[in-house]
Amino acid sequence: MSNSQTVDRNRSHRVQAGKLLWPTAVAAFLFTVSYPVNDFAPPPSPPDIGLGMLLVYAAIAAVTVGVVFGLVLPWALRRESSGGLALALAILGTLMAPGFWTGFPPGLAAGGALLGWAGIYATKGRKLSQAAFVIGLLGVLFNVVSYADVFI
């Protein structure tokens, strides 16, 4: 009985993670792009970057979020155990948080946290998923703190 409940909770988490995939991707993209947008159009002073650099930053963020949330996570959510992949994404996103402006860390940290959350009740890789969830959330928080440090 308890094994079937574990499987049902795991499946439920994976289904819910699938539903949260695109909202999380959009939030990660908008957060990532907001930094160069603030550099591009901060009234009343002249912009720190030009339109070309803004588009480069936006492209990097779009590709990162697209690959993580459009390719990696859907593939990983179909697997029985993705704790190792979730942990790798979460650690990369967390360690790179001081360089959040590069466009990579927020998407990696958010993707790792979401994938970790999806596998919290998995029968295989549960501990890795739990660690990925916590580290990914910390990575998202570190990205926000790094961002706030620049603008506050």
Side-chain angles (χ1 to χ4, degrees):
M1 183 75 167
S2 102
N3 190 24
S4 67
Q5 288 176 346
T6 302
V7 170
D8 290 341
R9 283 195 301 185
N10 182 47
R11 178 156 166 52
S12 173
H13 265 248
R14 288 192 346 214
V15 168
Q16 289 173 353
K19 291 178 182 177
L20 291 173
L21 200 62
W22 289 111
T24 306
V26 169
F29 174 76
L30 291 176
F31 172 78
T32 305
V33 171
S34 68
Y35 177 74
V37 166
N38 280 331
D39 275 352
F40 179 69
S45 63
D48 293 337
I49 63 172
L51 180 60
M53 283 304 296
L54 174 64
L55 295 176
V56 167
Y57 282 124
I60 291 170
V63 168
T64 300
V65 168
V67 168
V68 170
F69 289 91
L71 297 175
V72 175
L73 264 60
W75 171 79
L77 287 171
R78 289 190 300 267
R79 297 174 45 118
E80 186 176 330
S81 172
S82 298
L85 178 60
L87 188 58
L89 290 170
I91 288 172
L92 281 172
T94 301
L95 291 178
M96 293 173 63
F100 71 94
W101 49 269
T102 61
F104 300 109
L108 295 174
L114 183 61
L115 188 56
W117 179 77
I120 281 182
Y121 297 114
T123 53
K124 289 174 57 179
R126 176 187 302 177
K127 297 293 184 191
L128 293 174
S129 292
Q130 291 169 343
F133 177 63
V134 171
I135 292 170
L137 284 180
L138 287 173
V140 169
L141 179 64
F142 291 166
N143 277 281
V144 170
V145 168
S146 295
Y147 182 93
D149 186 45
V150 171
F151 289 106
I152 296 177

